[in-house]
């Protein structure tokens, strides 16, 4: 790889890693978390393994720095989780406080439990979706009713 492409890729992956670690810091302390192993997490695990294997091919310092930023990006992705904490929801490193939720609904599907919520000023046509393991369904519903029971609204789910 030439130096210019190494510098560009290092900058891109370093920026992604910083964004993912920032999302992790903003969404720490989750009480209820999503499933650890999903297709996207398996894909990132494979990408991290390929990155580690490619370390044997490259020899320049810029290659090593690029590989380091790529691995930081993979680690940041694994640390960022979706879930619910005491004061709101977290999805993809973004935090949504309960106070800003206009309405919410939930649905149970096979081995998934989904929570649909609409923030103040957003459209009901595109709710935010949080997917959690269905074994905690009753506990999560009780928690949500306690935190924002009056905001429960039946929604059209897609």
């Amino acid at each position: 790889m030439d130096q210019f492409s190494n510098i560009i890729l290092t900058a891109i992956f370093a920026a992604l890693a910083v964004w993912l670690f920032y999302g992790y810091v903003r969404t720490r302390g989750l009480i209820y978390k999503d499933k650890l192993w999903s297709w996207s997490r398996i894909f990132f695990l494979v990408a991290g393994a390929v990155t580690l294997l490619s370390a044997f091919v490259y020899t320049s310092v810029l290659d090593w720095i690029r590989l380091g930023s790529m691995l930081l990006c993979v680690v940041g992705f694994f640390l960022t989780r979706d879930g619910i904490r005491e004061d709101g929801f977290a999805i993809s490193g973004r935090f949504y406080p309960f106070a800003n939720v206009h309405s919410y609904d939930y649905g149970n599907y096979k081995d998934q439990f989904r929570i649909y919520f609409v923030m103040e000023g957003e459209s009901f046509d595109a709710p935010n979706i949080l997917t959690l393991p269905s074994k905690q369904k009753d506990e999560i519903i009780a928690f949500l009713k306690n935190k924002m029971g009056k905001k429960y609204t039946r929604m059209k789910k897609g």
Side-chain angles (χ1 to χ4, degrees), residues 82-135:
D82 297 347
I84 303 171
R85 67 181 197 197
E86 195 65 35
D87 54 346
F89 297 95
I91 296 179
S92 298
R94 186 164 180 207
F95 180 71
Y96 301 92
F98 287 140
N100 296 347
V101 173
H102 179 270
S103 60
Y104 77 96
D105 193 6
Y106 50 84
N108 202 19
Y109 307 91
K110 292 185 184 177
D111 62 341
Q112 295 178 349
F113 175 65
R114 292 184 188 157
I115 302 170
Y116 303 88
F117 62 98
V118 177
M119 303 304 289
E120 295 288 343
E122 289 184 356
S123 170
F124 278 83
D125 296 334
N128 296 300
I129 301 172
L130 179 61
T131 304
L132 299 166
S134 61
K135 62 184 174 186

Side-chain angles (χ1 to χ4, degrees), residues 5-158:
S5 62
N6 264 337
I7 292 170
I8 296 297
L9 287 173
T10 301
I12 289 170
F13 281 109
L16 281 172
V18 166
W19 178 66
L20 288 167
F21 277 102
Y22 177 69
Y24 166 70
V25 169
R26 288 184 55 192
T27 60
R28 284 185 306 195
L30 297 176
I31 300 169
Y32 304 105
K33 296 179 182 177
D34 64 342
K35 292 187 336 184
L36 180 61
W37 295 109
S38 62
W39 288 110
S40 58
R41 291 187 180 276
I42 292 169
F43 175 75
F44 265 81
L45 181 65
V46 170
V50 169
T51 301
L52 283 175
L53 288 175
S54 67
F56 296 113
V57 178
Y58 299 112
T59 56
S60 77
V61 174
L62 281 176
D63 287 329
W64 287 99
I65 294 171
R66 177 180 48 83
L67 290 173
S69 67
M70 291 170 76
L71 285 175
L72 280 175
C73 193
V74 170
V75 169
F77 181 79
F78 271 101
L79 289 176
T80 305
R81 300 283 300 270
D82 297 347
I84 303 171
R85 67 181 197 197
E86 195 65 35
D87 54 346
F89 297 95
I91 296 179
S92 298
R94 186 164 180 207
F95 180 71
Y96 301 92
F98 287 140
N100 296 347
V101 173
H102 179 270
S103 60
Y104 77 96
D105 193 6
Y106 50 84
N108 202 19
Y109 307 91
K110 292 185 184 177
D111 62 341
Q112 295 178 349
F113 175 65
R114 292 184 188 157
I115 302 170
Y116 303 88
F117 62 98
V118 177
M119 303 304 289
E120 295 288 343
E122 289 184 356
S123 170
F124 278 83
D125 296 334
N128 296 300
I129 301 172
L130 179 61
T131 304
L132 299 166
S134 61
K135 62 184 174 186
Q136 296 177 321
K137 175 185 139 188
D138 297 330
E139 190 178 341
I140 293 170
I141 291 172
F143 181 81
L144 292 175
K145 285 182 181 177
N146 182 31
K147 290 295 181 181
M148 47 182 203
K150 295 179 182 177
K151 295 181 180 185
Y152 177 75
T153 305
R154 297 293 298 165
M155 291 184 209
K156 187 181 213 180
K157 301 170 190 90

